[in-house]
Amino acid sequence: GADHSYSLTTGTTSAELLRKLNEQRDIIALMEIKMKEMKNTIRQLRVNEARLQEELRERDRLISANTIIKRKL
Amino acid sequence: GADHSYSLTTGTTSAELLRKLNEQRDIIALMEIKMKEMKNTIRQLRVNEARLQEELRERDRLISANTIIKRKL
């Protein structure tokens, strides 16, 4: 009677909740993978940035050395 | 009796499942914020990279112009 249908309803709800819990767990797992990829991308971009800045400094040293040579000439 | 304790157990489980669902929802919301921040960081780093590469090209043009001047001198 009432108890039986209550149990059924509760059971259905629990199954539904479990399904949603598993869906969310999958979403979290995917987001963690995505975040790990983004962290790697950020690290790589920072390495690139440091390399480019070092190359810029080298060029600036070359340019100021050239300027000194031109002044001496 | 048995029905009552089953309902209680089921009720407890549902409450527990709901609590976990809400915890996971909070985690997902935090991860979404974090991912949005990381996306902004990546976009900013790519803008910086393009700017640095453009500056490098300018320096290279200056250097090769200087080299031509030196050869003429």
Side-chain angles (χ1 to χ4, degrees):
Chain A
D3 269 357
H4 181 62
S5 66
Y6 176 74
S7 292
L8 264 184
T9 303
T10 309
T12 305
T13 302
S14 289
E16 181 73 8
L17 289 174
L18 257 181
R19 194 182 59 75
K20 286 190 181 173
L21 257 182
N22 285 326
E23 276 181 10
Q24 283 188 341
R25 191 179 310 157
D26 289 347
I27 290 171
I28 289 173
L30 285 175
M31 288 175 86
E32 278 171 353
I33 291 171
K34 184 72 183 161
M35 282 178 74
K36 201 170 283 189
E37 287 173 358
M38 292 171 85
K39 272 182 195 169
N40 283 339
T41 300
I42 288 173
R43 189 174 51 229
Q44 190 54 52
L45 284 167
R46 290 200 194 285
V47 168
N48 282 357
E49 187 179 44
R51 183 182 52 76
L52 285 168
Q53 278 173 342
E54 177 54 30
E55 286 185 24
L56 257 184
R57 278 190 292 272
E58 281 174 27
R59 300 294 195 283
D60 283 339
R61 279 192 292 270
L62 257 175
I63 290 168
S64 70
N66 276 343
T67 305
I68 290 166
I69 289 171
K70 274 200 292 181
R71 280 186 190 144
K72 285 185 177 171
L73 286 173
Chain B
D3 270 354
H4 181 64
S5 67
Y6 175 74
S7 292
L8 262 185
T9 303
T10 309
T12 305
T13 301
S14 289
E16 181 72 9
L17 290 175
L18 258 181
R19 193 182 61 73
K20 286 190 182 174
L21 259 181
N22 285 325
E23 276 180 12
Q24 283 188 341
R25 190 180 308 156
D26 290 347
I27 290 171
I28 289 173
L30 285 175
M31 289 174 85
E32 279 172 352
I33 290 171
K34 183 71 183 162
M35 282 178 75
K36 201 169 283 187
E37 287 172 0
M38 292 171 86
K39 272 182 195 168
N40 283 338
T41 299
I42 288 172
R43 188 173 52 229
Q44 190 53 54
L45 284 167
R46 291 201 194 283
V47 168
N48 283 356
E49 187 180 43
R51 183 181 52 77
L52 285 168
Q53 278 174 342
E54 178 52 32
E55 287 186 23
L56 257 184
R57 278 190 292 271
E58 282 175 26
R59 300 295 195 282
D60 282 341
R61 279 192 291 271
L62 258 175
I63 290 168
S64 70
N66 276 342
T67 304
I68 290 167
I69 290 171
K70 273 200 293 183
R71 279 185 191 144
K72 286 187 176 169
L73 286 172

